Amino acid sequence: MSQYNKPPMLGSWQLVTGECRNDNNGEQVQYQDVQLRSLKVLSETHFSFITHQGDAFYFAAAGSYCCEGDQYTEQLDFASHPSMMHREFVFQFRIEGDLWHNTRWENGVQVEHEIWRRLDSKK
């Protein structure tokens, strides 16, 4: 991949805020209310992230990704929860300065929205 085709999210990111839809009751869960903290690192073709809830480990995953237009897709090849292995997650994204906004929809319903802050200077 040439330097002109590098994905815009290349680098290291820290979760700023987010929300997701609870699978059990359909309510939106605010990440700050459940004390989720996460770091994500992306090379030109792969990503990994680790998430803590409070001071305890919560979830980790890694795999490949692709970026096309305003669509960012993660393919989980490794996951701390076996049910998440080999799943694909498709997000609509935008990057504004050092903030990366990701939104994921399922059947016309927003199920996840995250805002990440760039930790390094690669752009």
Side-chain angles (χ1 to χ4, degrees), residues 9 16 23 35 40 42 48 58 61 63 68 81 86 93 98 103 107 120 122:
M9 66 281 300
V16 174
D23 290 336
Q35 300 179 356
K40 185 178 283 203
L42 292 96
S48 65
Y58 180 71
E68 192 170 310
H81 297 299
H86 308 296
F93 84 93
D98 285 341
T103 306
N107 301 317
D120 53 22
K122 293 182 182 179

Side-chain angles (χ1 to χ4, degrees), residues 4-118:
Y4 301 107
N5 294 327
K6 289 184 179 178
M9 66 281 300
L10 188 68
S12 302
W13 300 84
Q14 181 174 25
L15 184 66
V16 174
T17 189
E19 64 182 8
C20 66
R21 189 173 182 85
N22 184 311
D23 290 336
N24 296 325
N25 61 20
E27 293 181 7
Q28 288 296 104
V29 175
Q30 301 297 316
Y31 289 1
Q32 62 267 23
D33 292 346
V34 293
Q35 300 179 356
L36 287 187
R37 299 177 300 120
S38 190
L39 291 175
K40 185 178 283 203
V41 178
L42 292 96
S43 73
E44 290 183 6
T45 57
H46 289 79
F47 74 95
S48 65
F49 69 85
I50 186 167
T51 302
H52 279 177
Q53 185 172 20
D55 292 330
F57 172 80
Y58 180 71
F59 186 71
S64 59
Y65 76 93
C66 65
C67 176
E68 192 170 310
D70 67 348
Q71 187 170 297
Y72 167 76
T73 304
E74 292 180 342
Q75 174 67 46
L76 275 61
D77 298 322
F78 303 93
S80 58
H81 297 299
S83 65
M84 301 296 281
M85 292 286 290
H86 308 296
R87 292 204 39 207
E88 183 175 272
F89 295 92
V90 179
F91 297 87
Q92 297 299 310
F93 84 93
R94 73 180 188 281
I95 295 179
E96 297 175 341
D98 285 341
L99 296 179
W100 175 21
H101 300 256
N102 281 328
T103 306
R104 187 166 63 89
W105 301 81
E106 289 180 1
N107 301 317
V109 176
Q110 179 181 310
V111 295
E112 191 171 13
H113 178 74
E114 299 173 335
I115 300 174
W116 298 83
R117 181 177 50 84
R118 187 181 298 275

